[in-house]
Amino acid sequence: MKIKLMGVFSHLAGSQEIEVKISGKKRVGDILRETIPRFDDIKGKIIIINGKIATEDAEVTDKDFVKVMPVVSGG
């Protein structure tokens, strides 16, 4: 499974893209916690799985593409 990291997530993980091998299905939030240090410290986040917005409870397989980015607000 490929994970594209944006913003602070790429900084925390030290990479803009991570490849993770999983067997069967696994919750995306669990995978992100395992691969991104301090993942839970970032409150506003957007998770996209195969082009569709998802929650941390969504299940993924080894063939999925995940993109994670922080919520950015401005004025």
Side-chain angles (χ1 to χ4, degrees):
M1 176 178 81
K2 287 191 178 184
I3 304 172
K4 174 83 172 171
L5 304 171
M6 308 292 288
V8 70
F9 294 114
S10 65
H11 175 72
L12 291 172
S15 179
Q16 292 183 342
E17 193 167 289
I18 298 172
E19 194 153 342
V20 178
K21 295 284 184 190
I22 59 173
S23 58
K25 290 185 178 182
K26 199 166 181 183
R27 286 177 6 124
V28 71
D30 294 337
I31 295 168
L32 296 174
R33 280 182 194 83
E34 292 170 10
T35 56
I36 303 170
R38 299 177 46 210
F39 176 77
D40 285 326
D41 290 352
I42 310 302
K43 299 300 178 205
K45 56 193 95 155
I46 299 170
I47 300 170
I48 300 171
I49 302 171
N50 301 325
K52 295 183 180 182
I53 295 177
T55 67
E56 291 182 38
D57 292 329
E59 290 187 332
V60 291
T61 67
D62 200 46
K63 299 186 186 295
D64 289 318
F65 179 77
V66 176
K67 186 174 185 180
V68 185
M69 64 186 86
V71 173
V72 179
S73 62

